[in-house]
Amino acid sequence: MDIFCRIANKEIKTDLLYEDDLVMAFNDIHPLAPVHVLIIPKEHIESIADLEDEDEKLMGRMIMAAKKIAEDLKIDSSGYKLLFRVKENGGQEVPHIHLHLIGGARLSENIKPIE
Ligand code: AMP
């Protein structure tokens, strides 16, 4: 079982910031910025590349959760990045969909192809 399934099952504790029937959100353990939150589906889906048509509601919920969390953390007016890494070339390390919400500071553009 991947680590985010274990977090969704509450086997591993996190500082939970948001939860509803479909998704949950918690702080990234290695933050890249003052705000770095991960939003995950409770259901196991490996990556964006594995989505089915029926997952449309779930993916909308993930983005709406990110918007609400950004408001709660008061970074909605200053702005933020939302990032999905997808599989190997996308740099995805945990094989369970997660949306990065990154903000709280002006962020450099550091997502470049490897030479
Ligand atoms: P990615 O490279 O897009 O797969 O991102 C995985 C993210 O998960 C990284 O930013 C890690 O720091 C984060 N991460 C891994 N394990 C945990 C954990 N137990 N709690 C919070 N964040 C985690």
Side-chain angles (χ1 to χ4, degrees):
M1 192 186 286
D2 71 78
I3 189 148
F4 291 168
C5 276
R6 296 179 66 195
I7 288 173
N9 288 342
K10 310 254 167 86
E11 287 170 34
I12 295 178
K13 285 239 179 285
T14 57
D15 35 5
L16 193 63
L17 299 178
Y18 176 87
E19 181 173 15
D20 63 29
D21 55 325
L22 296 178
V23 307
M24 57 196 282
F26 48 87
N27 284 319
D28 194 295
I29 37 165
H30 296 124
L32 299 174
V35 172
H36 189 168
V37 175
L38 298 175
I39 298 111
I40 65 167
K42 291 182 169 178
E43 171 196 353
H44 177 77
I45 304 173
E46 193 166 318
S47 81
I48 292 286
D50 300 296
L51 287 170
E52 314 256 358
D53 287 349
E54 67 203 34
D55 298 320
E56 191 173 327
K57 178 180 167 191
L58 171 64
M59 297 314 294
R61 184 72 67 82
M62 287 181 73
I63 291 174
M64 294 311 287
K67 174 185 183 276
K68 283 184 194 138
I69 294 161
E71 288 166 1
D72 290 347
L73 298 178
K74 303 198 185 328
I75 61 165
D76 51 318
S77 55
S78 56
Y80 48 87
K81 282 190 188 186
L82 294 179
L83 171 68
F84 286 110
R85 295 197 171 102
V86 184
K87 294 187 176 273
E88 196 177 343
N89 283 356
Q92 182 178 358
E93 288 182 357
V94 178
H96 183 126
I97 291 181
H98 48 286
L99 176 57
H100 295 258
L101 164 62
I102 306 170
R106 183 120 184 124
L107 303 168
S108 65
E109 204 53 67
N110 59 359
I111 306 165
K112 294 180 183 162
I114 295 166
E115 299 296 324

